[in-house]
Amino acid sequence: MTAYLLRRLLLVVPTLFGIIAINFAVIQFAPGGPVEQMIAELRGKGDLSSRLGASASEFGSGGSYRGARGLDPHIVADIRKMFGFDKPPLTRFVEMVEGYLRLDFGRSFFRDQTVLQLILQKMPVSISLGLWSTLLVYFISIPLGIAKAVRNGSRFDLATSAMVLTGYAIPSFLFAILLVVLFAGGSFWHWFPLRGLTSDGSAAWSLPARIADYAWHMVLPTVAMVAGGFASLTVLTKNCFLEEIGKQYTVTARAKGASDRRVLYGHVFRNAMLLVVAGFPQAFIGILFTSALLVEIVFSLDGLGLLGFQSAIQRDYPVMFGTLYIFTLLGLLMQIVGDTLYTIVDPRIDFEARR
């Protein structure tokens, strides 16, 4: 297993490089880049000329551009230089990769901060949402799916199926809006805060008070994420256990006098949980960076999902590629974690075996 993990870790490097290279190549053909956006702003706002130095002499007094003739080529050249587009694409790509090897992701085009500073600022929000939501989804869905499989066709199964279908039907962001209306000062009660992870001035509070305040802020966003994510995992768990319960080895185990609990957790559990474990990395990454976007907007939580979306809209390439690098690296590492969990759930699995 050690040799397998080392090979997988070594494969992370070329995989990560390939993903970054493909996305960099695609971006070169995307219209509406930062240079075009700045030119469009300059046509409408002369007060931006100060960002371009002396080359902005075409701007008249009062900051209005006299430009019926269009922008001066020197101004366009300064804009391209300011964003680094005066260099060939291959040179820019090599410089970007060299910076990534030093964990230097560059500076944002439109925010006066480095990409690493932005990511570190947004990370607590995304980690909070992703971690607690994923843990609750698994802690709820796995026992519920097992209970539904054991009681297949009973009243409990039918009643919980209605709850699962509701979770399928209602998107997490729509459920988040409902929670805001009901419990965050909408039209009914104001029991929970609406924005941020902490209250103003909470830094001066005692540790128990800060923990309670953090939990108070996390209730509604986490509930919204869990309500939209537990349904599919519950159904997957139930179907996996139903399939394994009906196989011949469970009949044989019962014929030998094994109790239902022994059959379920001693024989069925390891086989049925393999698919559930296999989906853990994708579930965690999905909740951490994609599913949380609309929930972050509803609850005014400034996380990585919102940062990546805004960067794509603004064509803030350093932030785009920096977040892509982080997301991809975490995704690849989580797949290795998933393989490790395979062997923990079922020690019979040996990735070193060869036919």
Side-chain angles (χ1 to χ4, degrees), residues 37-327:
Q37 291 193 18
M38 180 60 72
I39 291 175
E41 290 184 21
L42 284 173
R43 292 182 186 279
K45 296 183 180 180
D47 58 350
L48 293 176
S49 61
S50 60
R51 301 178 63 177
L52 303 175
S55 295
S57 58
E58 285 289 322
F59 288 84
S61 61
S64 60
Y65 180 60
R66 303 196 305 264
R69 298 187 300 271
L71 287 176
D72 190 297
H74 296 292
I75 296 179
V76 177
D78 283 347
I79 295 174
R80 295 182 62 84
K81 184 176 181 180
M82 181 173 64
F83 289 119
F85 283 86
D86 57 327
K87 303 175 183 178
L90 182 59
T91 302
R92 287 187 281 117
F93 178 74
V94 171
E95 291 179 352
M96 183 180 71
V97 172
E98 290 176 349
Y100 284 4
L101 294 176
R102 303 188 304 269
L103 295 181
D104 178 11
F105 303 109
R107 295 186 66 87
S108 168
F109 285 160
F110 304 106
R111 307 170 191 241
D112 191 21
Q113 289 179 290
T114 65
V115 175
L116 189 58
Q117 288 175 334
L118 287 171
I119 292 176
L120 292 178
Q121 287 177 5
K122 315 301 181 184
M123 186 69 78
V125 173
S126 295
I127 290 294
S128 296
L129 280 176
L131 179 62
W132 299 123
S133 299
T134 305
L135 290 178
L136 285 175
V137 164
Y138 270 76
F139 285 152
I140 292 173
S141 300
I142 293 176
L144 181 59
I146 295 174
K148 286 174 65 65
V150 174
R151 299 173 178 84
N152 186 39
S154 65
R155 291 182 179 179
F156 172 82
D157 184 35
L158 295 176
T160 53
S161 294
M163 183 175 62
V164 170
L165 288 175
T166 303
Y168 265 127
I170 301 179
S172 57
F173 77 92
L174 188 60
F175 192 70
I177 295 174
L178 176 63
L179 292 176
V180 169
V181 172
L182 291 177
F183 304 113
S187 302
F188 295 89
W189 305 280
H190 194 178
W191 292 349
F192 297 95
L194 185 57
R195 65 177 63 242
L197 293 181
T198 56
S199 300
D200 294 335
S202 61
W205 298 354
S206 64
L207 180 59
R210 292 202 304 268
I211 294 175
D213 180 67
Y214 169 77
W216 185 44
H217 281 76
M218 286 301 302
V219 168
L220 294 187
T222 304
V223 170
M225 298 284 290
V226 171
F230 86 100
S232 58
L233 185 59
T234 300
V235 174
L236 175 63
T237 304
K238 176 188 175 181
N239 291 338
C240 289
F241 272 81
L242 281 178
E243 182 180 358
E244 295 298 325
I245 288 173
K247 289 186 176 179
Q248 184 63 41
Y249 72 90
T250 61
V251 177
T252 304
R254 287 194 179 96
K256 290 181 178 180
S259 64
D260 290 341
R261 184 178 182 84
R262 172 65 179 171
V263 171
L264 183 63
Y265 293 104
H267 300 278
V268 173
F269 185 84
R270 290 188 304 178
N271 297 324
M273 285 298 295
L274 289 178
L275 285 178
V276 178
V277 170
F280 176 79
Q282 291 79 7
F284 179 75
I285 295 299
I287 291 176
L288 186 61
F289 296 122
T290 57
S291 301
L293 171 60
L294 295 177
V295 174
E296 287 178 8
I297 294 174
V298 171
F299 291 102
S300 301
L301 298 173
D302 195 5
L304 286 175
L306 186 59
L307 175 66
F309 175 75
Q310 291 175 342
S311 302
I313 296 298
Q314 297 173 348
R315 300 296 196 272
D316 196 345
Y317 292 155
V319 181
M320 282 177 56
F321 285 113
T323 53
L324 174 66
Y325 179 86
I326 298 296
F327 295 174

